[in-house]
Amino acid sequence: MCSFHTPVMQREVVESLHLQPGGIYVDGTVGGGGHALEILRGTSPDGLLIGIDVDDDALRESEKRLKPFGSRKIIIKGNFADIDTILDKLNIKEVDGILLDLGVSSHQLKTADRGFSFSLNAALDMRMDRSHGLSAYDIINTFPEKELAKIIKDYGEEIMAERIVKTISDRRKVTPIKTTADLACIIARAVPSRFKSKRIHPATKTFQAIRIYVNSELLNLHKAIDRGVDVLKKSGRFSIISFHSLEDRIIKNCFRSWEKGCICPPDIPICTCHRNAKLNVLTKKPVTPSDSEIESNPRARSAKLRTAERI
Ligand code: SAH
């Protein structure tokens, strides 16, 4: 167990990447370096690991943890959506494998001042990269009602979105909504008791939605797959772990579309998109954690791993 973040499905991830000594692997979400460590071990004695993260705490932690591997690892601040330009700057044309372990780390969730968690009171922030961009505060307090409702509906799959936004709007007319506890409390008031689940807090879906929007999570995922496919060597592996259905759907559909190649509408007689098939999907169904892993690490509960191979 690592106090920064316990990696999920370590063994499954390592198997899926088909690690080769001397290979070059990208961990696009290096976090606390847990998966990266196993990749470095599995590619001994001379494999290279490029670890990317947007979060400064993650970069510091993984740098420290992976120090014993010396020049076999390169840790870089960046967005995995820019995987192609990041590799280009390093003069690396192709890699043997790419891993993305999506979402937030336990460290980010546990660190109150990041504003990710409704159970820890803090300023509303939720940015993984705190050096720029709109924060949750800006979105909650300044976005037009319609836009806010759409975000909560689309990214949180929250059926109470309109009601929640009406309550947010009434409150922000009087005074700005500054903290995670404020927002969680407003949402709890907006949702009628008969719609409240016994298992999850009524603010769960709204917090998820705002976090996805603040960090452009779904758009980044799309870009990372499309660009990642082009930097993979033949037979190189692309493995992605997701934690909710919106992400899993994107991975499934993007992988499938690269398996198929052409994306022209069926009624067009000849192909005009000129897209060639580039992937072979290896996981027809996603791989999920064992019961014992879920028991020891409840965060693993919703994890799904999909893998594709470059053709
Ligand atoms: N596999 C890691 C944990 C990853 S947690 C481990 O074993 O420790 C997810 C990490 O992804 C977080 O540190 C988060 O900051 C990072 N992240 C999320 N979106 C990102 C993006 N678009 N680009 C780079 N890093 C991202």
Side-chain angles (χ1 to χ4, degrees):
M1 284 267 172
C2 166
S3 63
F4 191 91
H5 181 89
T6 305
V8 304
M9 289 194 275
Q10 283 268 42
R11 183 181 51 78
E12 293 85 345
V13 165
V14 166
E15 275 173 16
S16 77
L17 288 171
H18 206 234
L19 300 174
Q20 305 293 326
I24 305 177
Y25 294 83
V26 176
D27 182 344
T29 51
V30 72
H35 286 122
L37 182 83
E38 291 307 318
I39 293 174
L40 280 158
R41 283 186 181 144
T43 55
S44 265
D46 53 351
L48 178 68
L49 181 277
I50 295 137
I52 302 170
D53 209 293
V54 277
D55 182 309
D56 293 316
D57 289 354
L59 295 164
R60 256 191 305 274
E61 176 71 16
S62 52
E63 187 68 62
K64 196 169 77 190
R65 187 136 183 234
L66 305 176
K67 204 171 178 151
F69 294 92
S71 59
R72 286 188 55 207
K73 51 103 185 50
I74 301 173
I75 308 288
I76 293 181
K77 177 161 180 161
N79 192 314
F80 57 56
D82 302 321
I83 183 166
D84 50 347
T85 49
I86 293 173
L87 291 176
D88 205 42
K89 277 193 195 136
L90 295 170
N91 251 325
I92 294 173
K93 300 269 164 294
E94 284 181 324
V95 298
D96 297 272
I98 302 171
L99 169 68
L100 301 178
D101 173 18
L102 303 172
V104 277
S105 66
S106 314
H107 175 78
Q108 287 165 328
L109 275 178
K110 279 185 309 205
T111 309
D113 76 339
R114 305 300 298 264
F116 283 113
S117 170
F118 48 79
S119 51
L120 294 171
N121 196 17
L124 273 176
D125 190 336
M126 299 198 200
R127 286 170 304 165
M128 292 192 197
D129 179 356
R130 292 197 276 187
S131 58
H132 65 271
L134 293 178
S135 70
Y137 175 92
D138 303 317
I139 289 154
I140 291 291
N141 288 290
T142 66
F143 272 32
E145 280 182 39
K146 258 201 177 144
E147 209 173 323
L148 195 51
K150 188 165 163 39
I151 291 171
I152 298 175
K153 214 183 290 171
D154 289 355
Y155 298 153
E157 299 182 306
E158 171 59 86
I159 51 169
M160 292 284 121
E162 259 103 26
R163 254 174 196 266
I164 291 172
V165 170
K166 175 78 181 60
T167 320
I168 289 176
S169 169
D170 288 348
R171 164 63 199 277
R172 72 187 191 184
K173 278 182 198 140
V174 184
T175 163
I177 301 163
K178 287 188 179 150
T179 66
T180 49
D182 263 358
L183 181 61
C185 181
I186 290 166
I187 297 167
R189 236 183 303 132
V191 178
S193 338
R194 66 180 189 286
F195 287 103
K196 281 183 182 147
S197 148
K198 284 202 187 78
R199 278 188 316 114
I200 63 165
H201 188 284
T204 308
K205 292 179 175 176
T206 303
F207 269 65
Q208 173 189 300
I210 303 295
R211 194 198 86 202
I212 290 176
Y213 186 85
V214 165
N215 298 293
S216 307
E217 291 180 26
L218 303 183
L219 186 65
N220 286 334
L221 176 57
H222 248 292
K223 285 186 187 163
I225 299 177
D226 286 351
R227 294 172 180 169
V229 162
D230 279 332
V231 295
L232 269 179
K233 273 185 201 161
K234 188 171 179 301
S235 304
R237 298 280 175 94
F238 205 147
S239 287
I240 312 184
I241 305 171
S242 65
F243 290 87
H244 57 77
S245 57
L246 294 172
E247 288 170 344
D248 185 52
R249 212 174 301 148
I250 290 177
I251 301 159
K252 185 173 79 179
N253 293 337
C254 273
F255 274 3
R256 243 191 223 157
S257 87
W258 281 117
E259 189 170 52
K260 200 160 149 254
C262 172
I263 48 166
C264 290
D267 51 338
I268 287 191
I270 45 165
C271 168
T272 53
C273 76
H274 306 298
R275 256 172 59 129
N276 294 322
K278 292 184 180 173
L279 289 180
N280 179 21
V281 179
L282 302 178
T283 45
K284 299 300 165 204
K285 279 206 176 114
V287 176
T288 52
S290 65
D291 291 345
S292 66
E293 177 171 1
I294 294 171
E295 208 173 301
S296 63
N297 179 15
R299 203 187 82 89
R301 198 184 46 232
S302 45
K304 290 193 168 129
L305 167 68
R306 291 188 186 267
T307 302
E309 186 177 55
R310 184 72 163 89
I311 51 178

